[in-house]
Amino acid sequence: MSGRVTLLTAAPTAATASAAFSADEPLDARGRAWAAAGRGRVPRTDRVRHAPERAARQTCEVLGLSGDVDRALRGWDVGRWAGRRLDDLAADRPDDVAAWLTDPTATPHGGEALTVLLARVRQWLAALPAGHTLVVCDPAFVRGAVVSVLDAPPSAFWRVDVAPMTLTDLRGGSDRWTVRTTALPLRGGD
């Protein structure tokens, strides 16, 4: 079975601008402008799915896309850290942040371990139907997809950078995906 998935990272929010973990906030003015700049530039696909978070849903709305909510595409659950800035957490709880960054099974935030996120991404990719699917989701899911497709160790997650409103294209199917492009900007300038 042959497939293609194009992952579009949702437009930015206030959390993006402040380097904070998402707390399901809406797009900010910059996010709306970036999404609007991407209108007409989204590849044609057989289906559109998006994460349940507001940023993903609103990115679809601004782009004029009609898609289905897919709970498996949800962002990384960072529990108590939602809404907090990483720099503040590193200052307040350096041992917790260090554990989180070095142990893929650690959950000092009380949420989802990196290994659990990666397993969820792999499971989602394995169940993807044939044809071309466009996905609008947060950067963690996209990073997880790249790491999973490359069969890289969980530590590689920290080496993948995915900006808002960028496209990552995967080809293949089931257990034989390949990375075609990653972090290709959909929008024009800032």
Side-chain angles (χ1 to χ4, degrees):
M1 178 170 72
S2 181
R4 176 180 176 191
V5 61
T6 301
L7 300 138
L8 171 60
T9 308
T13 66
T16 310
S18 66
F21 293 101
S22 176
D24 197 21
E25 55 281 316
L27 297 182
D28 60 11
R30 179 178 66 149
R32 288 193 171 282
W34 284 18
R39 273 193 211 120
R41 299 179 69 193
V42 177
R44 286 188 299 181
T45 61
D46 298 316
R47 70 196 65 78
V48 177
R49 294 183 179 169
H50 62 81
E53 290 86 13
R54 283 193 285 182
R57 187 178 66 248
Q58 290 176 348
T59 298
C60 284
E61 289 169 3
V62 174
L63 288 169
L65 300 172
S66 176
D68 296 323
V69 175
D70 187 334
R71 295 259 331 126
L73 297 171
R74 68 191 177 280
W76 191 358
D77 177 5
V78 292
R80 296 181 298 275
W81 291 3
R84 306 263 328 260
R85 289 175 13 93
L86 182 57
D87 287 347
D88 296 340
L89 286 164
D92 295 345
R93 307 202 51 103
D95 292 342
D96 287 350
V97 171
W100 179 67
L101 292 171
T102 58
D103 178 358
T105 65
T107 58
H109 43 61
E112 188 175 35
L114 177 56
T115 53
V116 173
L117 170 67
L118 294 174
R120 176 164 48 94
V121 171
R122 279 190 300 277
Q123 212 170 26
W124 186 86
L125 284 169
L128 201 60
H132 188 182
T133 303
L134 174 70
V135 168
V136 181
C137 58
D138 87 357
F141 194 91
V142 177
R143 291 164 70 187
V146 171
V147 169
S148 295
V149 167
L150 295 176
D151 200 24
S155 60
F157 181 88
W158 305 114
R159 302 288 186 221
V160 177
D161 189 18
V162 181
M165 292 302 294
T166 58
L167 298 168
T168 296
D169 199 48
L170 310 176
R171 306 282 176 107
S174 192
D175 63 349
R176 57 178 180 79
W177 290 97
T178 60
V179 177
R180 178 92 183 261
T181 59
T182 186
L184 180 68
L186 179 66
R187 60 180 169 71
D190 300 341

